[in-house]
Amino acid sequence: MRGGLNHYDSLNRAHQTNTLITSEKCLCIMHATDPRGNSPVFLQPQNGNSHRSSGYVPGRVVPLRPPPPPKSQASAKFTSVRQEAQATFAFSTEEQRSQREDRKRKRHKNTFICFAISSFTFFVALAVILGISSKYAPDENCPDQNPRLRNWDLKHDPEKQVIIKKGDWLRLNSDVTVNSIVIQDGGLLVFGDDKDGSRNITLRTRYILIKDGGALHIGAEKCRYKSKATIALFGKSNEGDSMPTFGKKFIGVEAGGTLELHGSWKTSWTLLAKTLHSSGLTFGSYTFEKSFNRGLNVRVIDQDTAEVLVLDRFDTHEYQNESRRLQEFLKAQDPGRIVAIAVGDSAVKSLLDETILTIQNLLGSKLIKGLSYRQAWALVAVIGGGSASCNESVRNYENHSSGGKALAHREFFTVDGQKFAVTAYSEWNEGVSLSGFQVEAIDGVKLHLVDDVSSWKPGDQIVVASTDYSMYQTEEFTLLPCPECDNYEVKVRETPKFLHMGEIVDGVDMRAEVGVLSRNVVIRGEMEASCYADNQCQFFSYDTFGGHIQILKNFTSVHLSHVELKHMGQQQHLGKYPIHFHLCGDVDDKGGYRPQTYLDGVSIHHCFSRCVTIHGTDGLLIKDTIGFDTLGHCFFLEDGIEQRNILFHNLGLVTKPGTLLPTDRNNTMCISIRGKVFGDYIPVPATDCMAVSTFWIAHPNNHLISNAAAGSQDAGIWYLFHKEATGESSASYGLTKAELTPLGIFYNNRVHSNFKAGLFIDKGVKTTNASASDPREYLCLDNSARFRPHQDADLEKPRVAALIDRLITFKNNDHGAWVRGGDIIIQNSAFADNGIGLTFASDGSFPNDEGSSQEVSESLFVGESQNYGFQGGQNKYAGIGGISKRLRTLPRNRTFPIRGFQIYDGPIHLSKSTFKNYMPTADRYSSAIGFLMKNVWQLTPKNNISLVKFGAHVSLNVFFGKPGPWFEDCDLDGDKNSIFHDVDGSVTRYKDTYVGRMDNYLIRHPDCVNMIKWNGIICSGTYAQVYVQTWSMQNLTMTITRDEYPSNPMVLRGINQRAAFQQYQPVVMLEKGYTIHWNGPAPRATFLYLINFNKNDWIRVGLCYPSNTTFQVTFSRYNRQNVISTNMEEYEPVLSMEELERKPSDRKFYFDYGTGLLFLYLKAKNNREGHGYCSSEGCERIKIQATTSSKEISNCMAKAYPKYSKKPSVTKKMPAMLTGPCRGCGTHQMVFTSDPHKFYLPIQFQSPSKADIQRGNKSFISVNGTNYPITGVGLYLLVVDACSVPSRVSENKLFSFTEVERLKEYLKTSIPARSIVLLSTRGEIKNLNISEGLIPMGLHKPAHLHNKGSIVFLGFSGNFKPAWTKLFTSPAGQGLGLLEKYIPLQLGEYGCDKVNSIRRRDFELLKRASRAH
């Protein structure tokens, strides 16, 4: 086993063997020495590897205790004693007695001497150990506590080049600056620590190189570093020499090197448990300032929410009626309301005494009485609060100035516990009157989190992800001390600028990721103030020449945990990344590394070239690692050969474009960087570049479990497929077979706030250098790769379906997911608020595609969620939503057609899925199911949909597009042939029907049902495709006409306009006749393939040719794998149509010279298998070789019809329309979360307005799909056991509004512990005085429950205040509508006695992936 030699094991084995100094009879146990008499620093590993030994445990120190004496020495001693006894027989009895007494005296003397020396040695050793570690007892796991270490007291010397070599075992206890450090030949450098973590050590150097048995340790896995340790890498790109391989400003690990960095453990990242609002207040902050706003400017603020309820101005200077209006206004306000008043210009000329008295009585003002002309006055007070609640200020007006502001300020708390301030001010400044108001959160904003974050400390930097379309809504915060916070709360100094969701919305987990960036072990690059030299300054204004860590093959041990990397990576140099495993081979158990090499809890932020690069390295574990604000692909697999790497619970966000590779670049960079293209070629950004991704997975055999890609310029997770190994691996590896390799584990990943796509599975990279034949740059994006996973990556073996399990994708501008290839299965996934939820693309066009399958099931699609977004942070588009009619941010464009599931080509299979909230608006179409716009490709009638469910707010189940914006003319081949099979009628309510475009007369019959809103048609029948391939005529347009609808032909352009052959693939109804015509001379060679024909399926076709044409018509079976045609048969001509029709199965053709039509039957002789387009025996095809001298246009329409016209007929009867609900339709899952091991209880409140109640709308509370109607006026109470799964309602009661006291008593005494409390009202509320009883259940203060339209409360009875507790109220006459919440059950924080935990499948999969080789 290659485990790596532990310096501390070898040290202690050498050092702790005690030498007992005795007299002549005292046994001495001697320590082994090397030839020079020195104790060996390293012991030879058992397996002969000079770099590693068995039993390596990172950081472990052998206990400071003497070993037992060797067995051989003990045996020798026993033998000598026995021999001594046997040798006494020759002496007399007296002599023997005398000798025994003499020996006894000597033994006593020697024993005393040995004991004295041993005791002295023990106490000396103890004193030494205590001197080394005076603060706490030595720990065998702590590298800094080894007694062989000596303190390194080097002075600052930026020019000194340090070499730590054999015998140098150094402990760094203080700051030091040196030029460079090389640790080699058994040398060791350890950072000192202490029990209370009080040290702060910074090592500054240009580089550190570790090799040949050298080691650098900061802490250990079992003895985490407690103090603050920083390695600062300094130097500029244009100064000093570069080291071979590593360059400048680096930590490098070569063969035999050990790098063990282990900071204090922290929860790396979690999710918000409660929505974080912009400004920290639910309704936002408020700021107002205006000049010469004459009179009394008044604001009324809700004391419970800090919402500004009323904005008004009363011109009490000019009008007495305004004074009376102010008086009535104040009297109408509810007690407890916050009122802020500021004078603008002047306010007293017409201010009536009774108004002044009202202000005094209601607001407690003492200054209003004496207010004079143009005095500046401001007040903040509480209605009915008296003078104690009033804060006011006045400033005199002199010489056009008030000499400062009259400033009033008071602080309050919301019912959610957020502290806020209300400020009013008034002043004159150089003749200008100003008045203003401010409502803002103060003293920090509290964040509620899903996981225990007690490991996060004041001063730590955290990052909160965007939950909108723009990744630039991601925000950084600094933690404040928060003694009142529990383990799931923190307080931040900065005020949030954007909305960050902390809820499950419409069944989809949109909770923002929150990561801590700070660690106590820091590796950082020292940066210049701005960009300089040749560091891509045309693209970056800041310095991008950071530090980097590079690990090479045959290292001894590398483990980094809870380390912070900042300002790392070098944008202008390949290979210089924050962390780079460079051609390391197998770094797990397969390579002899136990434990496997890992990065755990590493924070990589504000870096300049990627996050982690896995290059020619297999079996690496990256866990709980954050990559934030970086350039270029973040988690990056480089050469397309990297396999078995595990990415578990990592977070990447704000992945920006970089310059290194074409796929890193944005539009500007792509066009500007042309040094490696051929000639004058100008790159095309959309196809060559623009692919920067947070997770760039260049080989499918890697494992992604529970990761989050929370914002990239292009894609969150991108799987691509190198046909050949690239880069430095190309010479030794060759073909990768990545396209054929089964997918590794993909489970429970989430992707959002990406511009191009959340998940992208498609494409490859160009693997040849730029040349005249292909001038594009090496490694630019390439469209040649197709994912076709097979067992053992062998096309001759069965397909292995790639499983995408539990994907959550939301707020991606273009696609939630774009997936090309097959077989691919997506299940248990959610798509919300994406431009397009999911698009499947086949792995290639026939004849290259062997017929794969793409399936999605048990999934949820949401068009417009209740995450309305927040403008700003590069969110460019907003508009009115189709459901709530509220302003919301939008993907792509205000007019972009939103689609849930998009059909491109197929075959696709959509089943057991639910669609919600697809409602068109005046600006845009929105449909649950749609089709790729401007589609030139073919579609297959084998696309099928079953068991789907459409919510109440879906008005377009399907939409085929219409000419106009985005769809343009809607007349490309794929547009016209759009089709799918509604297997069970769950889409159309007509079972076993096909849905196509309304103007497609190739598929319709007289009984079809037109769906005008869809621009579609529903038809019964059986359908297939004819693949028409023509040679030598590249730009022909083909017209195909069904004999029953000659007035409605379909014109097809073909899909290969620049290829050597052209192809067309119309969908046709079987058992019908068709004619084919051209807009130019008929092609000389035409192939007709029978696609998706089953045995005995047939159509008749007539192809137009000049009348002097002669034909050779040949049948064959074409095997696409070996490109061989077999079973070739010649067609024979017949003299009449009647003769042809008598034997449609025979190989016959009929040429009608009068019309110019060559007729033949296309009838399948073999059955298809599986998802193949053709039989496994080969594709049945007919080749027509035409010979003619004519150059005339071959369009026979005028002659063909009406001669061959047929009356439209129905071959398969239309089914009756289904009635009743669709049983078993839709996903059975009600919620899709990123913590599937937890139970979430769906709860809904229907709270209608007064007018809605009068119209008959119902009030109810729904728990897990069970409705509890509220039939009477009053307050309805539901109590749910928070510890029971499935959920259990333990109580439901209706209290009338006259039973307030009984309700208060019930809340106080009758709610069981560990219960969820749900309250909802029906009817107008005048005064519901129960808020004191709600405080133990989650409110932070008594709420104002007067003159309300509706009240909803979610509370918890217990010793814990969950983040989900919430009070909702609406103004009188209004309702709250439909509120939907998802409450976690059986949390440990609730104090549940018994927890029926769901097994942690993510952990199981992690173990499985770690064991797999």
Side-chain angles (χ1 to χ4, degrees), residues 898-903 908 910 915 918 926-931 945 948 950 954 956-960 980 987:
I898 293 171
R899 283 143 286 167
F901 181 76
Q902 176 173 263
I903 300 173
I908 60 88
L910 169 64
F915 294 87
Y918 289 90
S926 180
S927 63
I929 299 168
F931 297 84
I945 300 176
V948 294
F950 301 93
V954 177
L956 282 180
N957 292 9
V958 183
F959 187 56
F960 285 86
F980 67 86
V987 179

Side-chain angles (χ1 to χ4, degrees), residues 20-29 110 113-114 117-118:
L20 302 179
I21 306 173
T22 67
S23 63
E24 55 188 307
K25 293 292 184 178
C26 184
L27 179 65
C28 293
I29 304 173
N110 291 341
I113 294 171
C114 288
I117 294 174
S118 299

Side-chain angles (χ1 to χ4, degrees), residues 1191-1210:
K1191 302 295 185 182
E1192 64 185 42
I1193 293 174
S1194 292
N1195 189 326
C1196 306
M1197 286 284 291
K1199 297 178 181 179
Y1201 302 106
K1203 180 176 180 180
Y1204 291 108
S1205 294
K1206 299 283 187 180
K1207 183 180 179 180
S1209 62
V1210 178

